[in-house]
Amino acid sequence: MSLTILKGTVVSAPAPGRLEATENGYLVAEGGVIRGVFPVLPEQYAGAAVEDCGDDLIVQSLADLHLHAPQYPMLGMGMDLPLLDWLNTYTFPLEARFADPDYARTIYRRLAAELAENGTTRVCMFSSLHTDATLILMEELEKAGITGYVGKVNMDRNSLPGVLEETTEQSMSETLRWLEACGDFRLVKPMLTPRFTPSCSDELMAFLGKLAAERTLPVQSHLSENDKEIQWVRELHPDCKQYWETYAKYGLWNDRTVMAHCVWSDERERAAMRDAGVTAVHCADSNQNICSGVAPVRAMLREGLKVALGSDIAGGDQLHMFDVVASAIRASKARRILDGWETDFLTVAEGWYLGTSAGAAYFGEAPGFAPGNSLHALVLRDSGLPQPHPLTAAERLERAVYLRQKDAIRAVWSAGKKIFSRT
């Protein structure tokens, strides 16, 4: 059985708002499974090889629970447009290019490599509506050692006619073809992906709900991101009082469901999420870039919802999850101002928990470097930063989040295997 022993300053997030640090500690994993963090190496490992990381930080790798893979080439573009205009002007024409498998291979290989070197090892990811490109994306993520879920997007209405569109019959038959073709992947699994309610007919939503139940498949989509989007959903589904009900009535609303944004989710919608076990994914960068608003993350946490973070590229302009954590903290401070200073902002420890342990929880992991978890970790060097005084591990992590340094990530482990190293 393979044995991995890392020595350094081990920092993890075992609970919301709490960091646990072991100076000169040892993180031990056997067969890719964490055995524990120890201040002194247990006798049973005496004589075993130790990867000494010196004074570097050893921290959990990150989880990105909402990003659009085919939008990767358009990072930083169209940021002056609201959501629906942005989709029609930039997003849909770009996604149409993924009908070309060679183009898809080139883009997705680069994306997978960048995720690995940035320390993002778990994902919930949208592909495009193209089956072959979706399989290529899964292949490239698997090769890079990234774990998680990928979805072939379903969108049989309100697309871009003649550029990016599929019929209901095509959407259903291609979804089945995709599911049959991706059974051999070990690290990357399928996730049903109705783009959002306006993109999917009632017939298609019913089909996806039935498929989710029959095959116990997870589901990802968007919820209450933008006020015009919400009004559009009301017009399309006058029988539903709120956006979430358009998913629930088709069986797409349960503890396997991931919903991105939830910017305008009120108390009733949040209660529906909590009661069903739905995971809300906060995408602070995107929500500000496309002027959607500031999600009520503190209210979600206080009310007991499951909340994780997403980059939402390319509505979000940063793929690196350190930046996403920092953006979530900044957004919470804006929310505090908007709420008349009555809402507490997120601390760095809370933001780090949302970017690591909270995302890992969707994949069945316990918080922090808990024994029994799969080894997902990265080694972070911060010695290039000026030192105002001797820093605690928590202060070092805070600076690493806010002052992301080029080449600071020295090594990354995903699902027990080292997938990236920098000499």
Side-chain angles (χ1 to χ4, degrees), residues 197-198 228-238 243 246:
T197 295
K228 289 185 178 179
E229 167 207 12
I230 295 168
Q231 180 58 39
W232 194 10
V233 170
R234 288 196 191 103
E235 294 168 1
L236 292 169
H237 290 268
Y243 198 159
T246 67

Side-chain angles (χ1 to χ4, degrees), residues 388-399:
H389 56 259
L391 301 179
T392 65
E395 288 174 324
R396 292 174 63 189
L397 181 61
E398 177 181 17
R399 296 225 308 174

Side-chain angles (χ1 to χ4, degrees), residues 203-226:
E203 183 181 357
L204 181 56
M205 292 284 267
F207 166 80
L208 293 173
K210 185 172 183 289
L211 197 57
E214 290 175 349
R215 305 197 185 192
T216 321
L217 290 168
V219 175
Q220 61 182 345
S221 196
H222 300 84
L223 181 70
S224 298
E225 178 179 1
N226 174 279

